[in-house]
Amino acid sequence: MPLRWQEVAVPLIVIVSLLILKHVPALDSLPLARAAGVVAFAYAAFLALRIVQSEEAIQVDGWAELRPSMVEYFACYGAAALAVVLMSAIIVIGGTRVVPPAHMIATFIASVSLGLGAVAIGLGGLFVKVRWNNSALERQSAFGKTTTIAWSDVRSVRPNWRGITIATHDRQKVTFSQFHTGAAQLAKHAANRARRNAETATKAFAL
């Protein structure tokens, strides 16, 4: 599974930034080096899971379906567990001994950020259902909203910060996570259909 440049650049930027901030006098009391170590460990686990991610979708009753990958499960439940641990540390340690306010604030911000990240991954990936057949693509959100687009209407396939977005001529869009099992297969299929639709439209215009 090829990696996008953002998947390499973002973790490295975070790690380097934490190491640089460690040498800022106003922040030298914060455990930034440990945070950089946690990020590095998490990134190593991410790479291991990303490499073994399958590119083939699951076939169910004539539909090809995307499924959450181990990367998404690791990110969602790992972030949620770490958020709980940090918040528990704030409650337990903060109530038993004097802790510098900067430590408490930084830990609280990290815990809330991890919790929000886990919720975002769950709503945008784990609890979303995407499937397709020869005629249409269907996406069901975590809240049960279903969006269906016909392959004949597909105009473009573009990656973005949320994943991969398939758009139609009438501005309908379906976005799915690039970390889903089968995401590469769906993106390739959608790109081929978009190209064929463009060629058909060009020929029709020429006539």
Side-chain angles (χ1 to χ4, degrees), residues 135-137 148-154 168 172 197:
S135 60
L137 169 66
T148 303
I149 61 176
W151 286 121
S152 57
D153 295 331
V154 172
T168 66
Q172 282 189 303
N197 291 342

PDB file of all heavy atoms in Angstrom, residues 135-137 148-154 168 172 197:
ATOM      1  N   SER A 135     -23.558  -0.339 -11.050  1.00  0.00           N
ATOM      2  CA  SER A 135     -24.363   0.813 -11.463  1.00  0.00           C
ATOM      3  C   SER A 135     -24.274   2.014 -10.527  1.00  0.00           C
ATOM      4  O   SER A 135     -24.459   3.152 -10.962  1.00  0.00           O
ATOM      5  CB  SER A 135     -25.836   0.407 -11.589  1.00  0.00           C
ATOM      6  OG  SER A 135     -26.330  -0.078 -10.346  1.00  0.00           O
ATOM      7  N   ALA A 136     -23.997   1.786  -9.249  1.00  0.00           N
ATOM      8  CA  ALA A 136     -24.063   2.910  -8.308  1.00  0.00           C
ATOM      9  C   ALA A 136     -23.091   2.743  -7.149  1.00  0.00           C
ATOM     10  O   ALA A 136     -22.589   1.648  -6.869  1.00  0.00           O
ATOM     11  CB  ALA A 136     -25.479   3.050  -7.765  1.00  0.00           C
ATOM     12  N   LEU A 137     -22.870   3.867  -6.485  1.00  0.00           N
ATOM     13  CA  LEU A 137     -22.051   3.929  -5.275  1.00  0.00           C
ATOM     14  C   LEU A 137     -22.933   4.438  -4.141  1.00  0.00           C
ATOM     15  O   LEU A 137     -23.675   5.403  -4.318  1.00  0.00           O
ATOM     16  CB  LEU A 137     -20.867   4.883  -5.483  1.00  0.00           C
ATOM     17  CG  LEU A 137     -20.046   5.266  -4.236  1.00  0.00           C
ATOM     18  CD1 LEU A 137     -19.317   4.052  -3.678  1.00  0.00           C
ATOM     19  CD2 LEU A 137     -19.057   6.375  -4.589  1.00  0.00           C
ATOM     20  N   THR A 148     -26.522   8.152  -2.548  1.00  0.00           N
ATOM     21  CA  THR A 148     -26.312   7.235  -3.658  1.00  0.00           C
ATOM     22  C   THR A 148     -26.041   8.017  -4.932  1.00  0.00           C
ATOM     23  O   THR A 148     -26.774   8.955  -5.250  1.00  0.00           O
ATOM     24  CB  THR A 148     -27.544   6.331  -3.865  1.00  0.00           C
ATOM     25  OG1 THR A 148     -27.831   5.624  -2.651  1.00  0.00           O
ATOM     26  CG2 THR A 148     -27.291   5.325  -4.985  1.00  0.00           C
ATOM     27  N   ILE A 149     -25.000   7.658  -5.633  1.00  0.00           N
ATOM     28  CA  ILE A 149     -24.696   8.301  -6.910  1.00  0.00           C
ATOM     29  C   ILE A 149     -24.487   7.234  -7.976  1.00  0.00           C
ATOM     30  O   ILE A 149     -23.961   6.151  -7.693  1.00  0.00           O
ATOM     31  CB  ILE A 149     -23.453   9.208  -6.813  1.00  0.00           C
ATOM     32  CG1 ILE A 149     -22.218   8.411  -6.418  1.00  0.00           C
ATOM     33  CG2 ILE A 149     -23.677  10.337  -5.829  1.00  0.00           C
ATOM     34  CD1 ILE A 149     -20.941   9.237  -6.390  1.00  0.00           C
ATOM     35  N   ALA A 150     -24.924   7.539  -9.180  1.00  0.00           N
ATOM     36  CA  ALA A 150     -24.750   6.619 -10.312  1.00  0.00           C
ATOM     37  C   ALA A 150     -23.358   6.796 -10.902  1.00  0.00           C
ATOM     38  O   ALA A 150     -22.838   7.913 -10.973  1.00  0.00           O
ATOM     39  CB  ALA A 150     -25.808   6.893 -11.373  1.00  0.00           C
ATOM     40  N   TRP A 151     -22.759   5.704 -11.328  1.00  0.00           N
ATOM     41  CA  TRP A 151     -21.427   5.784 -11.917  1.00  0.00           C
ATOM     42  C   TRP A 151     -21.420   6.638 -13.179  1.00  0.00           C
ATOM     43  O   TRP A 151     -20.415   7.278 -13.492  1.00  0.00           O
ATOM     44  CB  TRP A 151     -20.900   4.391 -12.225  1.00  0.00           C
ATOM     45  CG  TRP A 151     -20.481   3.612 -11.021  1.00  0.00           C
ATOM     46  CD1 TRP A 151     -20.960   2.412 -10.609  1.00  0.00           C
ATOM     47  CD2 TRP A 151     -19.463   3.976 -10.081  1.00  0.00           C
ATOM     48  NE1 TRP A 151     -20.331   1.999  -9.471  1.00  0.00           N
ATOM     49  CE2 TRP A 151     -19.402   2.933  -9.122  1.00  0.00           C
ATOM     50  CE3 TRP A 151     -18.619   5.072  -9.942  1.00  0.00           C
ATOM     51  CZ2 TRP A 151     -18.515   2.976  -8.040  1.00  0.00           C
ATOM     52  CZ3 TRP A 151     -17.739   5.116  -8.870  1.00  0.00           C
ATOM     53  CH2 TRP A 151     -17.686   4.073  -7.944  1.00  0.00           C
ATOM     54  N   SER A 152     -22.535   6.661 -13.869  1.00  0.00           N
ATOM     55  CA  SER A 152     -22.594   7.444 -15.105  1.00  0.00           C
ATOM     56  C   SER A 152     -22.534   8.948 -14.849  1.00  0.00           C
ATOM     57  O   SER A 152     -22.313   9.728 -15.775  1.00  0.00           O
ATOM     58  CB  SER A 152     -23.882   7.111 -15.867  1.00  0.00           C
ATOM     59  OG  SER A 152     -25.029   7.352 -15.052  1.00  0.00           O
ATOM     60  N   ASP A 153     -22.740   9.354 -13.577  1.00  0.00           N
ATOM     61  CA  ASP A 153     -22.714  10.782 -13.241  1.00  0.00           C
ATOM     62  C   ASP A 153     -21.379  11.227 -12.640  1.00  0.00           C
ATOM     63  O   ASP A 153     -21.203  12.422 -12.356  1.00  0.00           O
ATOM     64  CB  ASP A 153     -23.835  11.111 -12.242  1.00  0.00           C
ATOM     65  CG  ASP A 153     -25.207  10.913 -12.840  1.00  0.00           C
ATOM     66  OD1 ASP A 153     -25.350  11.070 -14.068  1.00  0.00           O
ATOM     67  OD2 ASP A 153     -26.150  10.595 -12.080  1.00  0.00           O
ATOM     68  N   VAL A 154     -20.468  10.301 -12.417  1.00  0.00           N
ATOM     69  CA  VAL A 154     -19.212  10.645 -11.753  1.00  0.00           C
ATOM     70  C   VAL A 154     -18.364  11.544 -12.644  1.00  0.00           C
ATOM     71  O   VAL A 154     -18.147  11.263 -13.826  1.00  0.00           O
ATOM     72  CB  VAL A 154     -18.424   9.372 -11.383  1.00  0.00           C
ATOM     73  CG1 VAL A 154     -17.036   9.723 -10.867  1.00  0.00           C
ATOM     74  CG2 VAL A 154     -19.183   8.591 -10.330  1.00  0.00           C
ATOM     75  N   THR A 168     -19.966  14.250  -8.558  1.00  0.00           N
ATOM     76  CA  THR A 168     -20.756  14.078  -9.778  1.00  0.00           C
ATOM     77  C   THR A 168     -20.960  15.417 -10.465  1.00  0.00           C
ATOM     78  O   THR A 168     -20.588  16.468  -9.954  1.00  0.00           O
ATOM     79  CB  THR A 168     -22.125  13.460  -9.461  1.00  0.00           C
ATOM     80  OG1 THR A 168     -22.890  14.400  -8.681  1.00  0.00           O
ATOM     81  CG2 THR A 168     -21.974  12.169  -8.671  1.00  0.00           C
ATOM     82  N   GLN A 172     -23.135  16.278  -6.303  1.00  0.00           N
ATOM     83  CA  GLN A 172     -23.232  15.294  -5.233  1.00  0.00           C
ATOM     84  C   GLN A 172     -21.832  14.765  -4.927  1.00  0.00           C
ATOM     85  O   GLN A 172     -20.999  14.630  -5.829  1.00  0.00           O
ATOM     86  CB  GLN A 172     -24.144  14.139  -5.621  1.00  0.00           C
ATOM     87  CG  GLN A 172     -25.626  14.444  -5.520  1.00  0.00           C
ATOM     88  CD  GLN A 172     -26.452  13.188  -5.709  1.00  0.00           C
ATOM     89  OE1 GLN A 172     -26.356  12.492  -6.710  1.00  0.00           O
ATOM     90  NE2 GLN A 172     -27.279  12.897  -4.722  1.00  0.00           N
ATOM     91  N   ASN A 197     -16.529   8.609 -18.504  1.00  0.00           N
ATOM     92  CA  ASN A 197     -17.632   9.569 -18.626  1.00  0.00           C
ATOM     93  C   ASN A 197     -17.182  10.827 -19.358  1.00  0.00           C
ATOM     94  O   ASN A 197     -17.920  11.403 -20.166  1.00  0.00           O
ATOM     95  CB  ASN A 197     -18.167   9.939 -17.243  1.00  0.00           C
ATOM     96  CG  ASN A 197     -18.880   8.779 -16.568  1.00  0.00           C
ATOM     97  OD1 ASN A 197     -19.269   7.812 -17.209  1.00  0.00           O
ATOM     98  ND2 ASN A 197     -19.037   8.867 -15.262  1.00  0.00           N
TER      99      ASN A 197
END
